[in-house]
Amino acid sequence: MARRRGSAAAAAASPAVVGAVSVLALVYYSTVFVFLDHWLGLGNAAGAAHAAAFSLVVAACFFSFVCAAAADPGSVPASFAPDAEDPQRQGLKSRYCDKCCMYKPSRTHHCKVCKRCVLKMDHHCVWINNCVGYANYKSFIICVLNATIGSLYSFVVFLFDLFQTEHEYDVPYVKVIHYREATRAKWLAQKSGQKYRHRFDLGTRKNIQMIMGPNILCWLCPTATGHLKDGTEFQITNN
């Protein structure tokens, strides 16, 4: 996976990134060393098993977070030139970025924060201090997925601790992505009474495979990006 432009140290020093990591650390500490320890105890098999499972989820979340934050989301190849006969460009005007002084491939957009064009740009995420684009979309999705699982896990542990144990409340107990042209095309289709389908929408299965890869065994590995190409061309639907 390509590294992002600029200083990695400067990116890590971003207040939002520091805040996100701090929240992750706080949730982990509270869940394992406060709620779980108070509910089951970390010295027995059940408590240790839950602690190990939650630690694995948090570690996976943090690793994918680092991958998404440190990776270059996708730079337009210097050799790229628009093809007038490209089927992906039918009905679209030539897309030229006045700020970068280069042509933009399909689904490429200029980020005002990063001040450059990003391949298949989804959005600029302040929490990773980076754009979410072609090269780090998978690691970002995995990060969000693990964060969701971890949050639910933590909430369940908190509820069990709250309702199945006796608390001494007198003791302080912590205590408690879409694009503008797609939007216009959808509006025009609805206005004319037609059913709209995005030109790059290949169906649920293929859409997932384009991001996560064809091998389901590698879906949860943020560094398994061998299926990615140069990010300038995408398959389009026949409908």
Side-chain angles (χ1 to χ4, degrees):
M1 180 179 294
R3 294 181 180 274
R4 63 183 297 189
R5 296 177 179 176
S7 171
S14 166
V17 172
V18 173
V21 175
S22 299
V23 169
L24 182 64
L26 178 62
V27 171
Y28 176 76
Y29 177 85
S30 301
T31 302
V32 176
F33 297 103
V34 178
F35 303 124
L36 184 57
D37 187 32
H38 187 264
W39 171 38
L40 295 175
L42 300 179
N44 57 57
H50 279 289
F54 186 72
S55 297
L56 183 62
V57 174
V58 172
C61 180
F62 179 72
F63 179 63
S64 55
F65 177 89
V66 172
C67 290
D72 186 327
S75 301
V76 179
S79 60
F80 174 77
D83 184 358
E85 298 181 358
D86 186 352
Q88 296 188 44
R89 306 201 55 75
Q90 291 181 358
L92 299 177
K93 297 180 180 179
S94 296
R95 305 175 72 246
Y96 185 82
C97 181
D98 295 326
K99 297 180 180 179
C100 294
C101 298
M102 63 170 58
Y103 284 100
K104 299 185 291 185
S106 297
R107 312 177 81 174
T108 298
H109 296 272
H110 185 90
C111 176
K112 296 180 179 179
V113 180
C114 296
K115 297 180 180 180
R116 68 187 182 99
C117 288
V118 177
L119 295 173
K120 194 186 176 184
M121 177 185 172
D122 186 83
H123 69 288
H124 183 90
C125 179
V126 297
W127 303 112
I128 63 174
N129 194 30
N130 197 10
C131 276
V132 178
Y134 183 69
N136 66 343
Y137 200 98
K138 177 179 178 179
S139 55
F140 180 79
I141 292 296
I142 295 175
C143 178
V144 173
L145 176 62
N146 284 315
T148 302
I149 295 174
S151 299
L152 293 175
Y153 202 141
S154 178
F155 182 65
V156 170
V157 170
F158 168 74
L159 289 181
F160 271 88
D161 177 40
L162 183 65
F163 293 112
Q164 294 194 10
T165 59
E166 295 183 0
H167 295 274
E168 297 178 1
Y169 289 103
D170 55 328
V171 178
Y173 174 64
V174 192
K175 286 166 169 191
V176 199
I177 24 174
H178 50 78
Y179 305 109
R180 285 177 293 180
E181 59 263 30
T183 303
R184 176 173 173 78
K186 184 176 181 179
W187 176 78
L188 290 174
Q190 292 177 343
K191 186 176 181 180
S192 59
Q194 298 178 350
K195 185 177 181 180
Y196 171 78
R197 181 175 180 179
H198 196 285
R199 62 193 293 110
F200 294 107
D201 182 6
L202 304 179
T204 302
R205 181 176 61 85
K206 288 188 177 181
N207 287 344
I208 293 176
Q209 288 180 341
M210 286 179 62
I211 298 172
M212 310 300 283
N215 189 350
I216 192 173
L217 299 179
C218 297
W219 278 9
L220 295 182
C221 179
T223 57
T225 55
H227 60 287
L228 298 181
K229 299 179 181 178
D230 63 1
T232 62
E233 296 182 357
F234 299 91
Q235 185 178 353
I236 59 176
T237 178
N238 293 325
N239 296 334

